[in-house]
Amino acid sequence: MSEKKVSLLDGFKAFLTRGNVIDLAVAVVIGAAFTNIVNAVVKGVINPLVGAFGTQDLDNYSSCLQSPCTTDPETEEMDGIEILWGSVLSAALSFLITAAVVYFLMVLPMAKYLARRAAMQAAKEGVQETLEVSELEVLKEIRDALVAQRTGGTPGADAPDSQDGPGPAGGTAAGPREDR
């Protein structure tokens, strides 16, 4: 049992140079950059639209679970229990926008591309299979014709008359052809 030991550093290098790790790193970096874009859209577009109907910022929407929800101006401590549902709504909108953009700009076009590619591959395989089947049928007909020539029988309705055909064996398999 001479098992080659892989050093810790060699294993780490192999892990880093695998394609999946590189792809994952690129996805994380692009995802972080994309998050900034989505947050800017929510703060620059969605929040002002909501502000047309209420406050300028979704984070300002809240409800008081336990009254009174007042802030002490000196200590800035909150009396009561305040639920900040506006920030949850803002995060949910950010998620929905992100999911919609990822789906419509990345997932859907890639799915269509892969479906077209699979259809083209299936068409190629279908043509190849048809060619193989037709070649097989031709070879079967040739075989049947040769067998019919040697035995003097007719293996199929499409087989030529074996006694009129050329061939070294003549019309029968038993020996030379008899004169008529």
Side-chain angles (χ1 to χ4, degrees):
M1 291 192 157
S2 60
E3 208 173 288
K4 185 179 178 183
K5 292 185 179 180
V6 179
S7 72
L8 189 62
L9 187 59
D10 289 338
F12 185 66
K13 284 180 186 177
F15 171 73
L16 287 180
T17 56
R18 272 195 286 173
N20 296 345
V21 174
I22 304 295
D23 292 342
L24 183 61
V26 169
V28 168
V29 169
I30 289 175
F34 187 69
T35 300
N36 291 334
I37 293 171
V38 170
N39 288 337
V41 168
V42 168
K43 288 182 182 179
V45 176
I46 303 295
N47 285 347
L49 288 175
V50 171
F53 301 107
T55 62
Q56 284 290 341
D57 192 6
L58 285 176
D59 293 335
N60 292 337
Y61 286 107
S62 64
S63 296
C64 190
L65 186 62
Q66 200 174 48
S67 296
C69 285
T70 57
T71 305
D72 186 14
E74 294 175 8
T75 62
E76 295 193 15
E77 288 184 12
M78 174 70 70
D79 292 334
I81 299 174
E82 185 178 30
I83 296 177
L84 302 172
W85 58 270
S87 60
V88 174
L89 181 62
S90 178
L93 286 173
S94 294
F95 172 76
L96 288 175
I97 292 170
T98 304
V101 168
V102 166
Y103 179 75
F104 289 113
L105 294 182
M106 294 178 200
V107 173
L108 190 62
M110 184 57 93
K112 287 183 179 181
Y113 169 74
L114 291 176
R116 265 187 288 156
R117 192 168 165 202
M120 288 175 26
Q121 185 68 24
K124 281 183 181 178
E125 288 175 3
V127 168
Q128 184 66 24
E129 187 175 307
T130 303
L131 288 175
E132 289 175 3
V133 168
S134 63
E135 287 177 5
L136 185 62
E137 291 297 322
V138 169
L139 289 173
K140 283 181 181 179
E141 288 177 10
I142 292 171
R143 179 201 61 202
D144 291 344
L146 289 173
V147 167
Q149 279 182 352
R150 288 189 180 147
T151 61
T154 55
D158 294 339
D161 187 26
S162 62
Q163 293 184 4
D164 293 336
T172 61
R177 222 170 142 172
E178 296 177 19
D179 293 324
R180 295 182 199 177

